[in-house]
Amino acid sequence: MSYLGVPGAKLYYEVSGTGPVLLLISGGTDDADDFEGVVPLLHDAFTVVAYDCRGLSRSRLDGGPVDVPVEVHADDARRLLRAVGDAPAHVFGSSSGGQVALSLTARHPELVRAVVAHEPPAVALLPDSDPRSTVLAEARAVHAREGVRAGMAAFVAAAGLDRVKHPERYAPESPQAAMNTQKRLVRMERNLEYFLSHIVGPAADYVPDVDALSSVSAPLTVAVGDASEGQLAHATGRALAARLGREPAVFPGGHAGFVTHPRAFARALRAVLAGRPSAD
């Protein structure tokens, strides 16, 4: 457990395991602890690095909170990779962390050995006629007018996180995973104000550089959850995959499958990083 100084912040990060670096980037309400279930299943093959993005949980801001563009988060990830090793790294990012992984890959392809972007909420890639293309900005506006509870309720409804088509695929795979899911909700509660104030807006504005991503030599996989069909991030993941001209990998669970289904998720992630179909 260490801290890395970056411009304007100090990033909390954890390193475990041996082998090539695998950087895990959590979403905008979350932190390194989201991966506590999957890390022990990965660190026999990877040096696993997980961290709290700036402004979240244990990562400290040098000044007052401000909006953080995805590109700034990507630069933080770049600096962290430089601090922990000098070889290209595997990168996994989920939700807004998936957008960070995409930006890192487009801007610094030399640092990336393989990348998995899991359900990045790239609403800019949805068709103009899709009403969901504005929902993230609208949730932020509700928060500004009515506060955290109303803003988060608007976000959950807009993202479709309150609608589950396949509940049998959504339920945690074990009692421990169920406990970790509850612990995650407590951590999310502490990050909601910062998330709605300073992360949702930049995440809504971010447009992946599809041309740059199409030209990188490192394998790039867009992943969606097998239990998140009909939800916003599942749709944006598929939209990104279509722009890149490839099929998305389907990972176990929903938007937080790495928390609810760590064993199955770790198997899928290892398979994709090894260049095998995720169902192996």
Side-chain angles (χ1 to χ4, degrees), residues 67-117:
D67 282 7
V68 184
V70 170
E71 292 81 2
V72 171
H73 283 301
D75 189 64
D76 288 347
R78 176 188 68 84
R79 292 171 186 272
L80 183 53
L81 286 178
R82 291 293 194 196
V84 299
D86 55 9
H90 301 284
V91 179
F92 170 85
S94 184
S95 194
S96 61
Q99 293 183 310
V100 175
L102 294 170
S103 179
L104 172 70
T105 302
R107 294 158 66 89
H108 301 285
E110 74 283 359
L111 298 181
V112 176
R113 181 170 174 174
V115 61
V116 178

Side-chain angles (χ1 to χ4, degrees), residues 29 58 62 80 87 110 118 125 133 141 184 195 198 207 245 262 271:
T29 60
R58 294 152 293 194
D62 293 342
L80 183 53
E110 74 283 359
H118 179 257
L125 300 184
S133 61
R184 174 178 180 259
F195 169 69
H198 302 296
V207 183

Side-chain angles (χ1 to χ4, degrees), residues 17-174:
T18 58
V21 169
L22 168 57
L23 180 66
L24 303 177
I25 311 175
S26 60
T29 60
D30 304 320
D31 60 30
D33 288 346
D34 274 23
F35 302 113
E36 64 179 317
V38 299
V39 167
L41 305 172
L42 297 169
H43 65 199
D44 64 315
F46 302 99
T47 298
V48 183
V49 181
Y51 71 109
D52 300 352
C53 291
R54 66 166 64 207
L56 298 171
S57 296
R58 294 152 293 194
S59 285
R60 307 163 183 165
L61 297 172
D62 293 342
V66 295
D67 282 7
V68 184
V70 170
E71 292 81 2
V72 171
H73 283 301
D75 189 64
D76 288 347
R78 176 188 68 84
R79 292 171 186 272
L80 183 53
L81 286 178
R82 291 293 194 196
V84 299
D86 55 9
H90 301 284
V91 179
F92 170 85
S94 184
S95 194
S96 61
Q99 293 183 310
V100 175
L102 294 170
S103 179
L104 172 70
T105 302
R107 294 158 66 89
H108 301 285
E110 74 283 359
L111 298 181
V112 176
R113 181 170 174 174
V115 61
V116 178
H118 179 257
E119 299 204 338
V123 293
L125 300 184
L126 294 173
D128 291 340
S129 58
D130 192 323
R132 294 173 298 182
S133 61
T134 61
V135 295
L136 295 182
E138 290 165 3
R140 187 184 193 188
V142 170
H143 165 252
R145 293 194 309 268
E146 303 176 36
V148 171
R149 296 294 171 202
M152 194 58 189
F155 174 81
V156 167
L161 295 173
D162 56 347
R163 298 185 296 277
V164 179
K165 286 190 174 182
H166 305 287
E168 73 284 358
R169 303 177 191 168
Y170 216 85
E173 68 183 13
S174 69

Side-chain angles (χ1 to χ4, degrees), residues 220-274:
L220 167 59
T221 301
V222 180
V224 296
D226 71 357
S228 58
E229 182 183 353
Q231 296 179 357
L232 175 65
H234 188 106
T236 54
R238 287 194 172 276
L240 173 61
R243 292 288 186 97
L244 293 170
R246 62 196 69 178
E247 284 295 315
V250 179
F251 275 33
H255 194 55
F258 43 89
V259 180
T260 60
H261 294 72
R263 290 195 297 266
F265 203 95
R267 286 195 299 271
L269 181 57
R270 290 174 74 122
V272 167
L273 293 177

